């Protein structure tokens, strides 16, 4: 590993190379940006109680996500505008993720075709929104599965798009080129009643999606344990703790503070994933100790794509994997299954250290 942290330089460097409206869009949180601003600090609050007298001669962070082998729990979350960051957009991202042995979740708003992403050999899932007229999203779903998508991620926290304050200058939408978005939608999409996002999502849509796609369904945007239980009871294969990167309801709690409750509710029956503010192997270790099976990165891979293209994304994923290996080694955990709850100390209460919930 290099003596500098690649990830720390990426946001600033990406801001220098991206068109200003695009850089502004990538950095935005909803409304006053409270939730977006708190994401990284929430992970930084966790402290560890390392285990000693453990054999860490060989430390391996490899695991599986819905049965797919991955080199580490660190995957790439769905983000749009990747072709604004790099001419090859999602295809370059997919090649990098495949080379790193990771997993890609592809935005339904991608500017690259599902077929071109599938041809890279990457393991990938489709992120999608259910439309008001359920039949309107079926062609997208069917095309993705035919192109090799091994899962579908239902984004459940976006009945409407949260307001962002974007100033008075040109926005990303003024700058957007036709090839940046919607490469996989039918040509008439968006012009008919019922194409808009559904505001009446319910547990029945999880079951409907699973039957329509014949691949596992992950529900993304879950913060409440009771909602996680409803997802599982409806047939979800996994739940994903996310606040949409702070881009939906401003003031939503940090995912680092919500993960524990969701894991305790459903972690014994399905896989639980998390995103939001993950910037280091140390953050990944905390997420694993809290019970996450997968830990997903949002904008950092896009920054790396903008700055250094495919090699940049590969470096980011490999650097963070190496950081995770070092953290696991120093914590006395030679495998992800050995990253246990008792590694965490709760330092949030007036400086008094308490071992986090001892259940493992």
């Amino acid at each position: 590993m290099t003596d500098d942290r690649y990830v720390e330089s990426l946001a600033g460097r990406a801001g220098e190379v991206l068109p200003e409206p695009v850089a502004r869009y990538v950095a935005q949180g909803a409304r006053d940006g409270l939730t977006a601003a708190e994401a990284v600090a929430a992970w930084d609050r966790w402290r560890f109680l390392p285990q000693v007298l453990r054999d860490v001669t060989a430390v391996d962070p490899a695991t599986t996500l819905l049965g797919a082998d991955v080199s580490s729990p660190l995957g790439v979350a769905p983000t749009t505008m990747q072709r604004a960051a790099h001419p090859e957009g999602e295809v370059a991202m997919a090649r990098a993720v495949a080379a790193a042995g990771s997993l890609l979740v592809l935005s339904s708003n991608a500017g690259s075709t599902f077929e071109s992403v599938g041809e890279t050999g990457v393991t990938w899932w489709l992120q999608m929104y259910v439309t008001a007229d359920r039949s309107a999203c079926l062609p997208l779903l069917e095309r993705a599965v035919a192109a090799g998508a091994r899962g579908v991620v239902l984004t459940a926290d976006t009945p409407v798009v949260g307001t962002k304050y974007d100033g008075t200058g040109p926005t990303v939408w003024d700058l957007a080129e036709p090839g940046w978005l919607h490469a996989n939608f039918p040509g008439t999409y968006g012009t008919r009643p019922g194409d808009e996002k559904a505001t009446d999502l319910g547990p029945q849509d999880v079951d409907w999606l699973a039957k329509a796609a014949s691949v596992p369904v992950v529900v993304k945007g879950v913060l409440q344990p009771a909602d996680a239980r409803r997802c599982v009871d409806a047939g979800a294969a996994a739940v994903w703790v996310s606040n949409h990167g702070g881009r939906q309801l401003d003031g939503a709690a940090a995912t680092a503070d919500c993960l524990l409750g969701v894991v305790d509710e459903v972690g014994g029956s399905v896989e639980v994933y998390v995103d939001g503010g993950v910037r280091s192997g140390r953050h990944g270790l905390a997420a694993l100790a809290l019970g996450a099976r997968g830990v997903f990165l949002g904008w950092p891979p896009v920054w790396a794509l903008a700055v250094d293209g495919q090699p940049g994304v590969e470096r980011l994923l490999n650097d963070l994997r190496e950081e995770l290996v070092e953290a696991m080694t120093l914590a006395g955990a030679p495998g992800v299954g050995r990253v246990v709850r008792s590694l965490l100390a709760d330092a949030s209460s007036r400086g008094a250290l308490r071992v986090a919930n001892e259940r493992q």
Side-chain angles (χ1 to χ4, degrees):
M1 186 183 299
T2 56
D3 58 3
D4 62 336
R5 293 198 67 244
Y6 183 61
V7 67
E8 288 184 348
S9 71
L10 286 175
R13 293 172 64 195
E16 295 171 358
V17 299
L18 289 170
E20 195 277 333
V22 177
R24 190 168 69 247
Y25 172 81
V26 168
Q28 280 175 336
R31 297 285 180 176
D32 298 314
L34 298 175
T35 299
E38 293 171 351
V40 177
W43 290 112
D44 284 340
R45 286 196 294 269
W46 285 105
R47 295 293 181 268
F48 300 99
L49 298 172
Q51 303 171 132
V52 298
L53 303 180
R54 267 67 170 184
D55 184 354
V56 289
T57 305
V59 175
D60 185 2
T63 187
T64 59
L65 299 175
L66 293 184
D69 293 327
V70 287
S71 64
S72 85
L74 300 167
V76 174
T79 51
T80 190
M81 291 291 178
Q82 293 186 21
R83 290 196 64 190
H86 188 277
E88 290 190 288
E90 294 85 1
V91 173
M93 182 73 76
R95 291 193 191 112
V97 173
S102 187
L103 184 144
L104 172 68
V105 184
L106 188 69
S107 170
S108 59
N109 293 325
S112 304
T113 67
F114 296 153
E115 294 78 11
S116 62
V117 169
E119 288 168 0
T120 67
V122 72
T123 300
W124 68 284
W125 302 339
L126 170 69
Q127 171 274 335
M128 65 176 291
Y129 303 96
V130 166
T131 47
D133 176 357
R134 302 304 193 261
S135 65
C137 62
L138 282 177
L140 187 81
L141 179 62
E142 292 165 354
R143 180 174 177 178
V145 173
R150 295 174 60 173
V152 58
V153 178
L154 168 63
T155 296
D157 60 1
T158 312
V160 296
V161 176
T163 296
K164 284 85 175 175
Y165 299 135
D166 212 7
T168 58
T171 71
V172 69
W173 308 112
D174 297 320
L175 190 69
E177 299 178 8
W180 286 3
L181 298 165
H182 300 159
N184 299 286
F185 287 95
T188 57
Y189 181 80
T191 64
R192 301 167 300 177
D195 285 350
E196 67 275 11
K197 293 179 178 68
T199 57
D200 60 345
L201 280 180
Q204 69 278 1
D205 290 300
V206 177
D207 179 65
W208 174 78
L209 267 181
K211 291 175 179 175
S214 300
V215 295
V217 173
V218 180
V219 182
K220 179 176 178 286
V222 178
L223 297 179
Q224 291 204 27
D227 283 342
R229 173 55 59 191
R230 292 175 74 222
C231 293
V232 173
D233 290 347
V239 293
W240 187 325
V241 177
S242 176
N243 57 33
H244 215 105
R247 297 165 75 86
Q248 283 301 100
L249 176 62
D250 197 23
T255 56
D257 296 331
C258 298
L259 177 58
L260 184 64
V262 170
V263 168
D264 280 347
E265 180 65 32
V266 301
S269 53
V270 299
E271 296 180 2
V272 178
Y273 312 138
V274 69
D275 68 13
V278 175
R279 298 290 185 271
S280 69
R282 170 170 48 85
H283 294 165
L285 180 67
L288 292 175
L290 288 166
R293 180 65 171 252
V295 184
F296 286 86
L297 309 167
W299 289 117
V302 179
W303 300 336
L305 187 67
V307 171
D308 290 318
Q310 176 182 335
V313 179
E314 289 184 42
R315 177 179 175 183
L316 172 70
L317 293 173
N318 289 329
D319 278 7
L320 292 180
R321 181 183 183 276
E322 289 183 19
E323 287 186 17
L324 178 59
V325 168
E326 181 180 281
M328 290 169 60
T329 303
L330 296 174
V336 294
R338 304 285 292 278
V339 180
V340 292
R341 184 78 58 83
S342 59
L343 282 175
L344 288 173
D346 183 351
S348 62
S349 179
R350 303 179 187 275
L353 287 178
R354 303 191 309 276
V355 177
N357 188 332
E358 290 279 357
R359 282 188 291 164
Q360 297 172 12

